[in-house]
Amino acid sequence: DSGVTQTPKHLITATGQRVTLRCSPRSGDLSVYWYQQSLDQGLQFLIQYYNGEERAKGNILERFSAQQFPDLHSELNLSSLELGDSALYFCASSVVDITDTQYFGPGTRLTVL
Amino acid sequence: QQQVKQSPQSLIVQKGGIPIINCAYENTAFDYFPWYQQFPGKGPALLIAIRPDVSEKKEGRFTISFNKSAKQFSLHIMDSQPGDSATYFCAASKRGNTPLVFGKGTRLSVIA
């Protein structure tokens, strides 16, 4: 158990809908990362937050957004969903130190029908 | 542009064998090279990591070899067991808690 929690575990929804994925980092970790894992693209970085502020942006679509709250949990919002958005979404957290280690949560499997 | 290239895509070895997974990177600013292990339905779990100031790191049955001049690194699993059957990902990042760039993954099967 990495100490990172994600809810829900599974999500099934229809095209055009909007969903919210939630992540709670390990206690004390200020940095949260979101990654998308699909069969054809592998694991791809979406966005990073550090202590409530956006720190880095990767291959995140404009239909997707995220935020980190004062209690450090993070939410990833996906809107106008398309079939191609079906994937596993992982959150990872890290403490800001010299190790650079990221700990991954169990993921949310999103299926868009 | 794929910044971290991983091979092979899949690998089958006999129990007790030594599977080797290779990765190559392009960005010389990368300073941290972890390997993650992922079982079906689970999140990636950190296995072992290395920085470019050493050429080898060993933790239990897992060894990373690092060649800075060739911009390559590899994972060796000694005395492999059926329980090691999983997908392995190499990754790289710059120093200072930056996002990871992942290889495409290697699906390892260890058969008894």
Side-chain angles (χ1 to χ4, degrees):
Chain A
D1 184 4
S2 67
V4 178
T5 61
Q6 288 186 249
T7 56
K9 194 169 174 63
H10 301 279
L11 202 46
I12 301 174
T13 189
T15 54
Q17 295 298 305
R18 181 179 189 277
V19 296
T20 297
L21 281 51
R22 182 189 167 102
C23 166
S24 292
R26 296 186 323 148
S27 177
D29 285 0
L30 298 178
S31 212
V32 169
Y33 308 78
W34 286 96
Y35 293 88
Q36 180 192 57
Q37 185 174 36
S38 60
L39 280 173
D40 54 342
Q41 295 294 324
L43 269 160
Q44 295 226 311
F45 166 68
L46 295 177
I47 195 164
Q48 177 193 6
Y49 276 81
Y50 171 71
N51 202 20
E53 299 291 324
E54 182 184 304
R55 183 163 179 172
K57 225 167 183 176
N59 298 320
I60 188 165
L61 300 170
E62 284 192 16
R63 301 182 285 109
F64 296 1
S65 65
Q67 57 186 117
Q68 186 179 27
F69 294 86
D71 66 351
L72 300 178
H73 91 270
S74 178
E75 292 180 357
L76 179 67
N77 301 297
L78 316 176
S79 62
S80 302
L81 285 167
E82 302 175 359
L83 296 178
D85 298 327
S86 296
L88 272 164
Y89 291 84
F90 289 104
C91 143
S93 74
S94 67
V95 63
V96 180
D97 63 9
I98 61 171
T99 68
D100 288 314
T101 302
Q102 293 184 27
Y103 298 91
F104 281 74
T108 293
R109 181 176 293 277
L110 173 67
T111 302
V112 182
L113 300 175
Chain B
Q1 181 191 7
Q2 189 183 350
Q3 295 193 59
V4 178
K5 292 183 180 178
Q6 183 172 346
S7 63
Q9 274 189 307
S10 62
L11 192 53
I12 301 174
V13 299
Q14 294 270 338
K15 178 183 171 183
I18 306 175
I20 301 173
I21 305 170
N22 300 297
C23 283
Y25 63 98
E26 297 164 8
N27 191 338
T28 55
F30 286 151
D31 191 60
Y32 172 69
F33 302 89
W35 284 89
Y36 281 83
Q37 180 188 56
Q38 186 179 27
F39 292 104
K42 304 290 186 184
L46 180 66
L47 205 54
I48 185 173
I50 198 168
R51 292 207 185 270
D53 52 344
V54 296
S55 60
E56 186 175 282
K57 183 174 180 180
K58 187 178 290 188
E59 285 184 7
R61 296 185 294 110
F62 301 94
T63 300
I64 299 179
S65 298
F66 189 86
N67 186 330
K68 187 174 180 178
S69 60
K71 292 188 286 184
Q72 294 175 347
F73 58 111
S74 59
L75 176 71
H76 301 231
I77 304 175
M78 310 302 287
D79 187 28
S80 58
Q81 301 296 314
D84 296 328
S85 298
T87 300
Y88 293 81
F89 293 92
C90 63
S93 70
K94 300 175 189 176
R95 186 177 289 269
N97 298 102
T98 59
L100 291 166
V101 178
F102 282 90
K104 293 281 192 183
T106 296
R107 180 173 290 185
L108 172 66
S109 297
V110 181
I111 53 177

